[in-house]
Structures are given as C-alpha cells and as structure tokens.
Amino acid sequence: MSQIQALPKPVAAFINATNKLNTEEWIAIFADGAILNDEAIECRGKDAIRKWSDEQFIGAKITLTTNEVVQIDDQTVVNFTVAGDFSAYGITAPIPLDFYFTLEGDKIKYLVISDLVRGKETMNAAWAAKPNLDDPFSGYRFGKRNVPDVPEGWVKVKVTAASLNWHDVWTLRGIGHPGLEFPRILGMDGCGTLEDGSPVILYPIMGDSNWKGDETIDPARHVISELCHGALAEYIIVPKRNAVPLPKELSTVAGAVLGTAWLTAYRMLFIKSGLRPGQSMLVQGASGGVSTALIQLGVAAGMQVWVTGRTDEKRSLAMSLGAHRTFAAGEKLPKKVDAVFDGVGAATWEHSLASVCAGGTIVCCGINSGNNPALDLMKIIVNQISVKGVYVGTLEEFKDLITFVIVKGIEPRIGKVLPLERTEEGLRDIWEGTTSGKIVITF
C-alpha cells in the first residue's frame, strides 16, 4: 500500500459528478460492462449501475469529501466522508467509507464501496444493510464485517450455532427499537465459546447495568442485535452477564434456540399464565418457534395442551410434539380453556377471546398479523379475563428454563439446520410461514 498525491482522472471525474448530482456524467465514467459492488450487492453493467445510483447515491443527494488516497495493488482506494440523506438507514451523521476503484484507461471498470475498516479483523456475517417495510430482503446482505471491539466488561464469543427469530425479519423491515441503526448484524440467540474455550449460551436481554430487579421492565432494555451487533456472525461481543455457561448436557444446536422463543414461552407458561398441572391451554399456531416451545413445555409440565394450526401438516407437527388435540385455525373448541397463548396478533385475537373461560388468562407475545385487534372490553370485564403481555424473560428464568429442559429431557423442536451462508433461506421460511419449529444456523 502506498500513499498517492494526485487522483487519477476517472476518480476525480467520479467525485465531481457525484458532488454535482449529475447522473449522466456519473454513468459516463464507467466502462461498458463495469461492476459496482455495494455491501455485497453487485450491479453489473451501466443500466444496473444507473438504477443503483438513482436509488442509493444520486437519489440520496450524496456529497464526497476526500480524506485519504492510497494505492493497493491495482486499486486506487479513496477514503471519503460521505454526507447525504441516510434517513432510510437510521443514520443522521456523515459516515466514512472506502471506495476501491479499479480503472481501465480513463474509465472505472470495477468499484467496491465498503464501510470495513482497513487492517481490522473481519468475519463472515448476515446483516441488514437498510430497512424496507414491504420488501425486507432487499436490505439483506451476507459477507464480511469487521469484528466489533470489546468494551470493558464485555466478552468476545466465537459463535458455533445461532437461531432465527421473527425479530430478525422485523429488523429487515425497520421495525423495532427506536435506536436501531444500519448496517446491523442480525441474530438474537446463539451458543459459542469464550476466548479461553469455555462453552456459553447467550441470554438475549441487555439494559442498564445498574438496574435492579426484573430486567424485562428496565426502561433501557433491548435485545441482542438492536443496539449492538447480533449473533449471525462468526463472533459476537456481549456483556459478561449475557454469556451464560452452557451445561454439558445441552448441545449447541439445542441451546441456540432457548434464548428468545423458548424463554418467551417459558415466561408465558410458568410466570404469566397461572396454570397448574392438569389445567387446559390453547396454543394459537402450531409450527413457529414460540408455539412449538409452548407445546413441548406444556406437555412436560403436565398441562392439557390444545393447538390450532392452519394446515393438516402443521397440526400433525403439534401432535408429534405431544399435543392432546388440534383444531383448524378459528375452529370452535368443544370447551373453553384455562389459558390461551397468542403469538399471532390480530388474526387470532377474536378466537382467543372466544376460547378462554371466565376468570381465565390470555397471554400475548406477538403481533405478526397485526397490532390492533378489536378488544371487546365488555367480554373481558364481565368474564374477568386477564390479558398479559410477555417480553422474553429474566436471566434467572433463563437459567431455570435451561435446567427444566435438561431435567425433563426435552429435545427442542428444530425444523431446519442451515450453514451461515444460507441464512436468507431460513429467514424467508419465517416470513412466508413455512417453518416447522426453530431454524438453527451452524458455523
């Protein structure tokens, strides 16, 4: 690598056209058949580059300020401070980026735009480059990211397995914590090893280190991948308390699913529902991560477990996990149950309310089908129905869950195991509702 004084003519023209927001001048600098690579998305040819420019570059009113110019092999590498409209990324300040130019005469043959810090350790990761409410996978990326720094009181975990959640799709849609910024590595849950080789399982909730009591109601609470990078990467950095020792009785694949879906199900069933062994429960949905966890936990705890499912296949899955009866979505039950567990939202709310007995409880944890159902307050008041929400669970509940799973010999339902590079496939299964239990990513 060598420092250079003068910008090559095509690079200077590129900067000038960009700062003028002149699309035609900008496109003319590229050779026929040129390639532009932006955060692992490749645009081939001038038509594709023009489309990218209109949407991402000229369209965002970008301006470039040159910081450093170096030559690395056959590439001219320019570090710019890039200003513009980054509101779609949740970013409000100018950002430093490296532009790697490969030239062909007075044209740009190949351009790579990267926010990786040169010389810093990198890793493979699955991340959200930007949010898109209606087309979440337009912002999905897989490739190299810098390994995050390790602040005091945090630890570096080499990830061995991670699991996928609806939350990852919400991130791709831009829904979630108000402090969410992009790019953001996805993934809330996982298992791995510390630098000394100790196996750990990740507890997903973070918050105020000085908060005392139930961390699920800490005003500063957030989950892994909201304000820090997530577990769908070769390394993750977490506070020490979030790296819980992984018992030898638990495999990394099984452990990787317990952090969010299973902990949510555990809190729904054992902390919020008030159910006792022998009482009846209805699980809305048969094949998702929380649903399959509720079925398995409810059966192990001695509950009478009923389940709704949209297809014969999903209902058969519930029966294979120990459910006592299954019903079509929205089907009237032969009798009302003591508690209903609803992770679906608006689409199932009316049926949940119709299915719970007087004095019973509805426990909610999801809004995948909508956030604003008709509540029917009269029915809730007259029948004295309790409605409770759940936000994952506490660290102590997480440890109790791990012990319960081991003591009861539960094998968490794993619907699919994929390598990291096929993460998008698993996320699309969640988005399209074709899961049959948790999806685990292995490294």
Side-chain angles (χ1 to χ4, degrees), residues 13 79 106 174 196 209 284 296 352 386 392:
N79 181 262
D106 61 353
D196 65 1
S209 60
Q284 294 282 23
Q296 292 189 265
S352 293
S386 298
V392 199

Side-chain angles (χ1 to χ4, degrees), residues 397-424:
E397 290 161 11
F398 185 51
K399 293 176 180 177
D400 291 343
L401 163 64
I402 293 169
T403 300
F404 187 81
V405 167
I406 292 171
V407 169
K408 290 293 186 177
I410 300 173
E411 292 288 340
R413 168 68 186 186
I414 310 295
K416 185 179 286 188
V417 179
L418 299 169
L420 180 60
E421 59 268 24
R422 289 174 61 190
T423 295
E424 183 179 359

